[in-house]
Amino acid sequence: MPKLKCECSEVINLSGVPSRDQYLMISDKEYDSYSGLIDAEMLYSKMTIVVKCPLCSRLYIYNDGFNSPPAVYCLE
Ligand SMILES: [Zn+2]
């Protein structure tokens, strides 16, 4: 998914690595199950991808990866 068009019409470019607008999220409980040295790629595979629109701050949370529609959260 190189680009995402936000509800506010901002086009978010996700092709850069690392991406300015992409975040990674993991539950505190799951993170706490790890200790010591951890393989970064393995940890990455356990994280949920979150995209934050730089214009309106909407959050697009991809709970099942980019192949499923995201849950979208908007500021009140
Ligand atoms: Zn937006």
Side-chain angles (χ1 to χ4, degrees):
M1 172 181 281
K3 290 183 181 176
L4 168 69
K5 185 170 184 181
C6 183
E7 293 289 325
C8 74
S9 298
E10 177 76 357
V11 176
I12 306 167
N13 186 347
L14 300 172
S15 61
V17 178
S19 172
R20 177 192 71 169
D21 302 312
Q22 184 173 306
Y23 297 80
L24 300 169
M25 179 172 70
I26 190 169
S27 74
D28 191 44
K29 184 176 179 182
E30 184 165 357
Y31 182 78
D32 201 47
S33 70
Y34 299 102
S35 63
L37 296 176
I38 300 170
D39 179 70
E41 291 302 317
M42 186 280 298
L43 184 59
Y44 180 87
S45 72
K46 303 294 183 186
M47 293 182 157
T48 298
I49 296 169
V50 179
V51 176
K52 181 181 178 185
C53 176
L55 191 61
C56 72
S57 297
R58 269 189 182 82
L59 296 177
Y60 293 81
I61 300 177
Y62 292 87
N63 290 305
D64 297 315
F66 283 131
N67 293 325
S68 297
V72 182
Y73 295 84
C74 184
L75 288 177
E76 291 185 9

